[in-house]
């Protein structure tokens, strides 16, 4: 009897200390910007404890999306600093909450732009969590489930996320190339699927960077005839290598002639000022012009109302990343079909990442910088 009481006491002690341990905040370190447009510096912080539906991921790789630059530069409005960017993340699951069945310790997980949403609205029910009014962004988001603390992103050694907002990365995936799929991949895969792109369609991709080159790869894989639009000569050969049949340098006016009414589908990933009406005119009757590129608030491209009437019958729509179900579908499709981004791996060093941001702005990256988070000191 004494023995049983002793064991019960021990059990209660072990279980309660486990609960206390689970409730503890999690130390984290990363790279942050401390002011708009500033360089990176090391940053130590803590993350909320792992809840019953959460997983803790040890970050392996995080990549640099142009949206990270828009945020750090306050292109889209006021931000809060220090800010640890990073919403293209892959890593290893090191702890799981007690309700989690989707992941086990040792699995690989990917995280994109979102870490939580209400789970109850029509968008969430339809698997379109990105449009939920309470969607919580991976960084610069207000964590309404944890006292409105500010979320911090993937340029860090770990991240805590609701299991619903992580995708299971197959063990055979090329891990150093997976992170960009979590934003660049899904943001381009989704509109190609929404517009039902199929074999033989004429497709144009405007902006041949991190997003654009993924769009080219997916469109080629779907059997489309792909034309690329960009502002540089430097990427002409790469476009051909990826299967594009044509490359247009929009700075050469002669290359733009005779292209009106040409495309079943156009996707704009352009992050800067441009003339969207030019692409609307190039869209065929009953064709789609999808926009995902997000230039700064104070540098917004505009349509004239007349353009829509004179280009009647064309569908123009915007698209934001993709829901979690579609993100898992995109990831599985990409790994199965060996569709990965072109990446340059860099060290998780403040100066290196600061320089990488400058290179992205100067158009010097081909096509995605991926930060090896295991090198973080
Ligand atoms: P990148 O910087 O990697 O790529 C942008 C590309 O566009 C570059 O190749 C750039 O050329 C090219 N470009 C710039 N100006 C023009 C122009 N006038 N005409 C044609 N091409 C041009 O950026 P990302 O691919 O990472 O991101 C693109 C945009 O998509 C960003 O605004 C980002 O915020 C947005 N985004 C939107 C999402 C959504 O959910 N809707 C999700 C993720 C990103 P060069 O390199 O030679 O300068
Ligand atoms: Zn992104």
């Amino acid at each position: 009897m004494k023995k049983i009481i002793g064991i019960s006491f021990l059990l209660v002690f072990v279980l309660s200390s486990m609960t206390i341990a689970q409730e503890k905040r999690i130390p984290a370190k990363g790279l942050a910007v401390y002011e708009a447009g500033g360089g990176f510096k090391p940053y130590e912080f803590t993350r909320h404890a792992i809840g019953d539906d959460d997983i803790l991921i040890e970050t392996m790789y995080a990549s640099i999306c142009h949206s990270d630059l828009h945020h750090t530069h306050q292109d889209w409005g006021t931000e809060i600093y220090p800010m640890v960017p990073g919403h293209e993340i892959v890593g290893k699951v090191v702890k799981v909450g007690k309700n989690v069945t989707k992941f086990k310790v040792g699995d690989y997980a990917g995280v994109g732009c979102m870490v939580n949403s209400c789970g109850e609205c029509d968008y969430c029910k339809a698997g379109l969590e990105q449009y939920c009014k309470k969607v919580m962004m991976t960084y610069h988001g207000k964590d309404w489930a944890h006292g409105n603390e500010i979320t911090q992103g993937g340029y860090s050694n770990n991240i805590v996320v609701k299991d619903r907002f992580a995708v299971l990365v197959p063990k055979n995936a090329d891990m150093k190339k997976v992170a960009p799929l979590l934003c660049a991949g899904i943001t381009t895969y989704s509109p190609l699927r929404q517009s039902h792109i199929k074999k033989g369609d004429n497709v144009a991709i405007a902006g041949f960077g991190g997003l654009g080159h993924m769009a080219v790869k997916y469109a080629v894989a779907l059997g489309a005839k792909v034309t690329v639009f960009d502002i540089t000569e430097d990427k002409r050969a790469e476009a051909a290598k990826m299967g594009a049949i044509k490359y247009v340098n929009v700075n050469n006016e002669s290359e733009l002639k005779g292209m009106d009414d040409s495309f079943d589908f156009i996707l704009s990933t352009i992050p800067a000022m441009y003339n969207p009406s030019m692409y609307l005119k190039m869209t065929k009757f009953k064709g789609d012009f999808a926009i995902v590129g997000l230039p700064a608030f104070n540098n917004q491209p505009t349509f004239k109302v007349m353009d829509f009437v004179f280009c009647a019958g064309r569908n123009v729509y915007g698209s934001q990343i993709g829901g979690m179900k579609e993100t898992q579908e995109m990831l599985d499709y990409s790994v199965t079909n060996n569709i990965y981004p072109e990446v340059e791996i860099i060290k998780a060093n403040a100066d290196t990442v600061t320089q990488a941001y400058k290179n992205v702005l100067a158009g010097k990256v081909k096509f995605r910088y991926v930060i090896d988070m295991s090198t973080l000191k």
Side-chain angles (χ1 to χ4, degrees):
M1 186 64 182
K2 256 189 188 166
K3 207 172 168 188
I4 293 174
I5 294 171
I7 290 171
S8 317
F9 264 100
L10 190 69
L11 210 64
V12 169
F13 174 74
V14 170
L15 284 176
S16 56
S17 50
M18 270 172 67
T19 315
I20 290 165
Q22 279 217 342
E23 281 168 6
K24 269 202 187 135
R25 289 186 66 83
I26 297 158
K29 58 181 178 174
L31 299 173
V33 288
Y34 286 71
E35 58 183 342
F40 282 88
K41 288 180 197 155
Y43 179 53
E44 294 199 3
F45 58 106
T46 61
R47 296 190 182 274
H48 68 72
I50 307 166
D52 294 345
D53 301 311
D54 294 337
I55 60 173
L56 173 64
I57 301 169
E58 189 180 275
T59 317
M60 293 161 65
Y61 298 98
S63 40
I64 300 175
C65 173
H66 205 114
S67 296
D68 297 331
L69 275 77
H70 288 309
H71 280 300
T72 55
H73 286 87
Q74 287 198 151
D75 281 354
W76 299 333
T78 311
E79 303 278 0
I80 295 168
Y81 304 92
M83 175 198 290
V84 179
H87 60 258
E88 295 183 333
I89 305 161
V90 67
K92 212 170 204 172
V93 177
V94 290
K95 230 173 198 175
V96 298
K98 73 173 183 338
N99 295 342
V100 175
T101 52
K102 183 170 158 189
F103 294 95
K104 55 185 188 318
V105 169
D107 283 344
Y108 295 96
V111 178
C113 296
M114 312 178 269
V115 286
N116 207 348
S117 72
C118 84
E120 288 163 2
C121 69
D122 289 346
Y123 291 122
C124 288
K125 282 184 192 150
L128 294 168
E129 298 89 348
Q130 73 273 34
Y131 301 125
C132 169
K133 295 284 173 265
K134 287 181 80 177
V135 68
M136 193 186 294
M137 306 318 281
T138 305
Y139 67 92
H140 81 93
K142 270 197 184 149
D143 188 342
W144 41 261
H146 298 91
N148 276 343
E149 66 183 46
I150 303 300
T151 58
Q152 299 289 8
Y155 301 0
S156 59
N157 62 332
N158 60 29
I159 189 157
V160 183
V161 54
K162 274 224 158 14
D163 62 346
R164 175 176 175 163
F165 289 88
V167 291
L168 189 62
V169 180
K171 285 200 160 62
N172 64 332
D174 189 347
M175 294 303 164
K176 62 184 180 306
K177 295 185 177 176
V178 164
L181 298 174
L182 276 303
C183 176
I186 184 60
T187 305
T188 52
Y189 178 90
S190 182
L192 283 161
R193 289 302 200 195
Q194 287 172 63
S195 289
H196 306 290
I197 298 313
K198 55 183 190 317
K199 197 169 176 350
D201 282 350
N202 274 324
V203 164
I205 307 300
F208 187 44
L211 266 61
H213 89 296
M214 286 311 301
V216 171
K217 290 189 179 197
Y218 289 131
V220 168
L222 293 169
K225 291 179 272 177
V226 179
T227 300
V228 170
F229 291 80
D230 203 290
I231 50 173
T232 171
E233 277 306 303
D234 297 351
K235 298 178 188 169
R236 206 176 268 278
E238 268 99 349
K241 217 156 80 188
M242 288 177 211
I245 57 164
K246 196 168 179 177
Y247 182 92
V248 176
N249 180 344
V250 292
N251 288 330
N252 297 340
E253 252 179 55
S254 59
E255 292 189 49
L256 291 166
K257 289 210 173 99
M259 303 197 88
D260 287 358
D261 297 317
S262 299
F263 297 104
D264 300 289
F265 176 76
I266 300 183
L267 179 68
S268 171
T269 75
I270 301 171
M273 181 52 85
Y274 68 106
N275 176 13
S277 301
M278 179 179 102
Y279 293 106
L280 183 58
K281 285 180 193 151
M282 289 182 189
T283 310
K284 275 186 193 169
F285 186 69
K286 295 293 173 200
D288 290 350
F289 176 22
I291 300 174
V292 293
L294 283 163
F297 276 169
N298 61 3
N299 206 20
Q300 280 292 296
T302 48
F303 286 104
K304 289 197 182 81
V305 168
M306 275 173 91
D307 295 334
F308 292 106
V309 182
F310 290 136
C311 297
R314 281 84 177 158
N315 304 308
V316 180
Y317 71 91
S319 188
Q320 287 176 33
I321 43 172
M324 292 315 300
K325 187 165 176 274
E326 195 177 35
T327 305
Q328 184 72 61
E329 178 193 306
M330 169 283 309
L331 186 72
D332 296 340
Y333 174 85
S334 306
V335 174
T336 305
N337 293 287
N338 205 25
I339 301 175
Y340 288 106
E342 304 299 309
V343 303
E344 191 178 323
I345 310 288
I346 58 171
K347 290 217 162 85
N349 166 286
D351 292 340
T352 310
V353 177
T354 302
Q355 185 57 46
Y357 267 48
K358 288 181 185 157
N359 292 352
V360 173
L361 268 188
K364 285 187 190 158
V365 52
K366 284 183 185 169
F367 280 83
R368 225 15 160 211
Y369 284 120
V370 173
I371 311 170
D372 178 352
M373 294 313 306
S374 71
T375 62
L376 186 74
K377 294 244 166 65

